[in-house]
DNA sequence: TGTACATCAGTGAACGCGCGTTCACTGATGTAC
DNA sequence: TGTACATCAGTGAACGCGCGTTCACTGATGTAC
């Protein structure tokens, strides 16, 4: 249980172990308040004051954990690739959602705290970059910043509801949900952008014209 | 500063005052952990043990605060009316978003905690009911449960990002954002529902056919 | 090659704090006779 | 109409707990001479 002391020059090894254990405990306890330095030190097999050898305090430890989580999230999105820009957009959205659902507590802590701007920005930029590819390829129309923001909001809303309301009777499979949210964001934004802006929304009629448009959207791929 | 003691029979007055003060403090401090019984009692002008005359403990107090917040949220949605079902859907979505942005902390606590099922359900049912009206009127197509869930997720994602990432450079006005999210959810879901389900998303071509569809959507209202 | 010393990676005990909660009490108001 | 008593709406002081943090220390490893 007790950790063997590191040799001179290898003191930084404990830092990595503390980070690992802190992430583990965060996932188990669910909140950053339940994450105590005493528990972290105990699980790392070390005395409590040892944490101060590598982090200036509790706040610094949590910040380091969050930074690492953001990096992992960005990396999982970076790994999602596809030649087709729209498919890449969907894959990256799904990678985001999968990471969130796989690390629910970390995701919640990530987005509950006032975000570290650079880390969140890096993550958003991956989304934005792919949306830009779609716009350039003529697959989406509109301002990439707005498109990417709405898409991020939609996916975030989906996973954060799934995390926070696990008892709620969700009407469809998670994968389908995410797929549809991505499609919805992509197509719906394009449609919404072309409608006139006004105070009261008009009642739209979905009929033959929309059916025809959907056929066109599909035909390309047959 | 010190509260005058209630007359016999009016002891329950303090209960209401404690709830009010607790909500106030929750909005100021931002987290449920920062909400202490001592602070609540002090602001109510009463000694700490007095809280126990009306609530069995801290947990019960927070639960009562949350229940009240859910009720307020549902009420604000109930007040958003319009004859046209699609306009009603948009108005209710906007009411939801406005409540969330006006009470950011309460909203976060609301959706962070494992939700009280009945309260959340009542709120969701208002959404579902309006979506059903839209489907019956031929304005939306698809299963109302799925449509409503996606719409809720989209709006929730929008407001929770706005709350959690206030420093993030949002590319558009909040009202426009919400309006577009509602449109996006409405139109996009309809489009997505009509596309064939497959593992990899196809690249859609937005062109003349979609433009024609958008004209049709708009024509109805001219 | 031996030894004094420096450094490095920790430890043990303690401090002070604020918290939720308990418990014996108080004192004004109402009520039975 | 007076008085003993019950009830109701609280209070003050204290308990025990777990937490973040500090501080003087230890003892193995490396190094200069």
């Amino acid at each position: 249980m007790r950790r063997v002391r590191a040799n001179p020059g290898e003191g930084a090894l404990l830092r990595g172990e503390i980070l690992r254990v802190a992430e583990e405990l965060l996932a188990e306890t669910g909140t950053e308040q339940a994450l105590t330095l005493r528990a972290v030190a105990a699980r790392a097999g070390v005395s409590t004051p040892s944490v101060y050898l590598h982090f200036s305090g509790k706040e610094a430890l949590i910040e380091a954990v969050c930074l690492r989580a953001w990096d992992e999230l960005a990396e999982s999105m970076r790994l999602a690739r596809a030649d087709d820009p729209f498919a890449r957009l969907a894959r990256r959205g799904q990678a985001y959602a999968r990471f969130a659902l796989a690390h629910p507590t970390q995701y919640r802590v990530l987005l509950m705290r006032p975000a570290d701007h650079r880390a969140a920005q890096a993550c958003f930029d991956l989304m934005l970059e792919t949306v830009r590819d779609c716009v350039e390829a003529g697959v989406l129309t509109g301002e990439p910043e707005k498109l990417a923001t709405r898409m991020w909001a939609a996916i975030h809303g989906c996973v954060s509801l799934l995390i926070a309301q696990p008892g709620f009777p969700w009407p469809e499979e998670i994968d389908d949900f995410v797929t549809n949210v991505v499609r919805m964001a992509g197509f719906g934004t394009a449609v919404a952008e072309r409608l006139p802006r006004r105070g009261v929304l008009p009642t739209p009629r979905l009929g033959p014209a929309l059916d025809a448009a959907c056929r066109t959207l599909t035909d390309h791929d047959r």
Side-chain angles (χ1 to χ4, degrees), chain A residues 137-220:
Chain A
V139 173
L140 294 178
T141 56
E143 300 168 46
E145 283 79 10
K146 291 187 183 179
L147 294 176
T149 310
R150 288 181 204 149
M151 191 163 256
W152 192 18
I155 298 179
H156 164 65
C158 163
V159 296
S160 69
L161 278 178
L162 283 170
I163 289 170
Q165 320 267 336
F168 197 86
W170 291 94
E172 54 188 332
E173 287 295 315
I174 290 173
D175 281 351
D176 290 343
F177 192 106
V178 174
T179 302
N180 279 316
V181 163
V182 172
R183 283 172 158 170
M184 188 176 97
F187 303 132
T189 299
V191 177
E193 282 286 329
R194 289 164 191 224
L195 290 177
R197 188 163 307 271
R198 52 175 81 199
V200 178
L201 294 180
T203 298
R205 293 285 154 195
L206 303 178
L210 188 57
D211 282 332
C214 290
R215 269 195 299 280
T216 307
L217 292 175
T218 312
D219 281 348
H220 168 81

Side-chain angles (χ1 to χ4, degrees), chain A residues 64-82:
Chain A
V65 170
C66 283
L67 269 179
R68 213 161 92 150
W70 273 115
D71 284 348
E72 280 175 43
L73 176 47
E75 186 56 28
S76 78
M77 286 176 75
R78 221 171 272 122
L79 288 176
R81 299 198 161 280

